[in-house]
Amino acid sequence: REWDDYHDEL
Amino acid sequence: RKNTNKRGVSLKTQELYALVFATRYLDMFTDFISLYNTVMKLIFLSSSFSIVWYMRRHKLVRRSYDKDHDTFRHQFLVLPCLILALLIHEQFTFKEVMWTFSIYLEAVAILPQLVLLQRTRNIDNLTGQYVFFLGAYRSLYILNWIYRYFTEPHYVHWITWISGFVQTLLYADFFYYYLNSWKNNVKLTLPA
């Protein structure tokens, strides 16, 4: 999976 | 900056938050998500580090800091979170383990602040509202996760969900006394 799949949350 | 009375504000919690953001936002060096995302990361980093700087270095602020009651030790929270992140993560890479560590640490970072509030009989309006809104803010994530679960495919993230739920639970007791004092229009105090 890509990094921003669920790391987009702050 | 105008209110230099920081009695009741836990420097330990502020330092833990600075560590949380510093270890979580390592992806700023490698990935770009959106302008909003980057700006908010910079705001979280700069605000948490400047609060720590003010409490340690600013003459007036430092003087009012309640050091004798703010005795919670960082390592009791940092080490267990680091070990847990090394054991439970989705990918064993430096960035991912640091990110997972920050999720675990954020869940418990409020503990020194809650302990300090309990020791300080007279809770400042500012401190009480700060803790309340910090907890309320994070509890809104749970609503967001439920929404995203139903609207986005493959949105299942146990590490963030369980950590966020634990974090909100830690506030439950404080919420109870805060809302009671607000409802009855009396000054907020926590039982010893």
Side-chain angles (χ1 to χ4, degrees):
Chain A
R1 58 164 174 66
E2 291 294 308
W3 173 257
D4 57 348
D5 266 8
Y6 70 104
H7 296 80
D8 57 346
E9 287 174 356
L10 296 159
Chain B
R1 286 180 63 175
K2 214 168 68 181
N3 182 358
T4 54
N5 182 7
K6 294 299 169 289
R7 240 183 80 81
V9 177
S10 168
L11 176 60
K12 311 276 175 159
T13 283
Q14 298 303 327
E15 285 171 341
L16 290 175
Y17 276 124
L19 182 61
V20 163
F21 298 133
T23 49
R24 184 171 308 169
Y25 299 154
L26 292 175
D27 64 304
M28 275 175 61
F29 298 109
T30 55
D31 298 74
F32 179 76
I33 293 167
S34 67
L35 182 64
Y36 169 81
N37 194 280
T38 303
V39 169
M40 290 308 285
K41 281 173 175 165
L42 291 173
I43 289 175
F44 281 136
L45 280 168
S46 55
S47 60
S48 58
F49 275 95
S50 59
I51 289 172
V52 170
W53 185 87
Y54 260 96
M55 290 190 71
R56 281 171 169 267
R57 299 275 172 251
H58 192 281
K59 237 188 278 175
L60 293 172
V61 174
R62 201 176 51 189
R63 197 180 299 158
S64 67
Y65 166 52
D66 198 359
K67 199 180 176 180
D68 297 338
H69 286 108
D70 191 21
T71 53
F72 207 103
R73 284 170 192 259
H74 299 96
Q75 62 261 36
F76 289 152
L77 297 176
V78 171
L79 285 179
C81 289
L82 194 59
I83 292 166
L84 195 62
L86 286 167
L87 294 174
I88 304 173
H89 49 254
E90 290 201 11
Q91 271 183 342
F92 193 63
T93 62
F94 178 71
K95 206 169 68 169
E96 183 76 24
V97 170
M98 284 294 101
W99 181 88
T100 312
F101 162 73
S102 81
I103 294 287
Y104 295 149
L105 187 61
E106 188 192 342
V108 293
I110 196 64
L111 281 174
Q113 179 66 74
L114 291 177
V115 169
L116 179 60
L117 278 192
Q118 203 148 33
R119 288 178 181 169
T120 314
R121 302 302 309 154
N122 209 0
I123 299 171
D124 211 82
N125 261 340
L126 179 83
T127 318
Q129 281 167 11
Y130 167 72
V131 173
F132 175 76
F133 282 109
L134 200 62
Y137 161 76
R138 198 64 199 184
S139 67
L140 290 175
Y141 269 76
I142 294 174
L143 297 179
N144 182 255
W145 292 329
I146 294 168
Y147 172 79
R148 291 185 69 172
Y149 176 79
F150 287 109
T151 55
E152 290 178 26
H154 318 298
Y155 190 75
V156 180
H157 303 304
W158 290 109
I159 289 176
T160 39
W161 291 352
I162 293 172
S163 305
F165 185 67
V166 168
Q167 186 174 3
T168 305
L169 266 189
L170 288 181
Y171 282 90
D173 193 52
F174 175 82
F175 283 152
Y176 174 78
Y177 290 104
Y178 182 89
L179 293 173
N180 254 347
S181 82
W182 179 70
K183 198 178 76 185
N184 301 325
N185 208 12
V186 293
K187 200 163 166 46
L188 174 64
T189 51
L190 298 178

